[in-house]
Amino acid sequence: MTKKATKKQTEEIKRLFLEHFKDAKTELNYKNDFQLLIAVMLSAQCTDKRVNLITPALFSAYPTPQDLQNAPLEDIKDYIKTCSFFNNKAQNLKAMAQEICQKHKGKIPLDREILKTLPGVGQKSANVVLIESQNANFIAVDTHVFRVSHRLGLSFATTPLATEEDLTRIFKDHLATLHQAMVLFGRYTCKSINPKCTECFLQHLCKSKTTYRY
């Protein structure tokens, strides 16, 4: 079993992440909070690269929540058909736009609990929107953050939400930057298959160099 990181090791992990990824930003392309929310919703179980290929035409066709709520569902599906789970995502996008227009006067609510009430938006997506839009002190746990957290012994939790609670408790601040750092680190260095251990600045702190679990 992976050993738990000590307090001293956790502090060093945090310091090194902030040092190596001080300007880390999402790789999703967007120009406003509405576009950000759409991109985040589409990114669930789909790569940012794929989302960025889909969204330019979608954003052009539906630049406002009003435009999206009035769009025929089949047309929305056609724009996002190369995205995973596009049928459900199209339904959620349209329903989200309707709720934004009907309950929030066409503006994206920048409050986590309110965002979570929107169709297709869970805590992870709400956190990502607020991290990007407001630099909020949240951390969102996707597959990359989950894997990195467990390989480094930062969390043994079995769910993303419980892992988020662990990371929030041990890191406390700079969570927005740490989220971006862990996503990019997991995507390009601490990969699921064939992680680049010899290039890793956290190699000396890794708890699973020989097992590559998660």
Side-chain angles (χ1 to χ4, degrees):
M1 182 176 178
T2 305
K3 294 181 180 179
K4 186 176 182 179
T6 64
K7 182 178 180 181
K8 183 177 180 181
Q9 289 171 334
T10 298
E11 290 172 350
E12 186 174 1
I13 289 168
K14 178 180 179 179
R15 179 183 65 79
L16 288 170
F17 268 136
L18 293 175
E19 177 184 312
H20 285 261
F21 292 95
K22 60 181 179 180
D23 298 317
K25 297 291 183 184
T26 183
E27 294 185 315
L28 291 171
N29 296 330
Y30 67 94
K31 294 182 179 178
N32 54 51
D33 290 336
F34 177 55
Q35 291 186 358
L36 171 61
L37 178 55
I38 290 174
V40 171
M41 290 174 68
L42 290 176
S43 70
Q45 295 178 285
C46 186
T47 65
D48 288 2
K49 185 176 181 180
R50 168 57 54 187
V51 172
N52 288 338
L53 292 173
I54 293 168
T55 50
L58 183 69
F59 292 161
S60 178
Y62 311 118
T64 69
Q66 291 82 1
D67 295 316
L68 186 57
Q69 75 160 345
N70 295 326
L73 183 59
E74 292 305 314
D75 289 357
I76 300 174
K77 288 181 180 179
D78 195 52
Y79 278 108
I80 68 170
K81 62 187 177 184
T82 61
C83 188
S84 58
F85 306 104
F86 74 92
N87 283 308
N88 286 339
K89 288 179 179 179
Q91 293 172 357
N92 284 333
L93 286 175
K94 184 175 175 68
M96 174 274 291
Q98 291 171 337
E99 196 151 322
I100 291 296
C101 292
Q102 294 167 12
K103 295 185 179 180
H104 305 289
K105 300 180 180 179
K107 296 185 180 295
I108 306 303
L110 297 176
D111 176 279
R112 180 162 72 172
E113 295 310 309
I114 298 175
L115 281 170
K116 286 163 57 178
T117 68
L118 297 176
V121 181
Q123 180 148 314
K124 178 174 76 74
S125 295
N127 283 0
V128 173
V129 169
L130 294 172
I131 287 167
E132 285 301 318
S133 175
Q134 306 296 304
N135 197 36
N137 193 47
F138 293 137
I139 196 159
V141 179
D142 65 0
T143 56
H144 301 300
V145 177
F146 187 86
R147 180 174 65 255
V148 170
S149 300
H150 287 71
R151 285 182 174 174
L152 291 173
L154 298 172
S155 174
F156 295 143
T158 58
T159 67
L161 282 179
T163 303
E164 178 191 328
E165 291 174 2
D166 285 344
L167 295 176
T168 300
R169 184 181 66 256
I170 64 175
F171 285 147
K172 295 182 177 60
D173 54 22
H174 295 93
L175 297 184
T177 302
L178 288 165
H179 162 76
Q180 303 290 11
M182 294 178 77
V183 169
L184 295 175
F185 178 71
R187 184 174 292 162
Y188 297 111
T189 303
C190 193
K191 299 188 291 184
S192 178
I193 300 173
N194 297 324
K196 298 181 179 179
C197 297
T198 59
E199 302 173 20
C200 179
F201 61 87
L202 293 173
Q203 185 181 24
H204 62 298
L205 296 165
C206 184
K207 303 297 184 181
S208 53
K209 289 190 287 289
T210 59
T211 59
Y212 305 138
R213 291 180 64 225
Y214 303 101

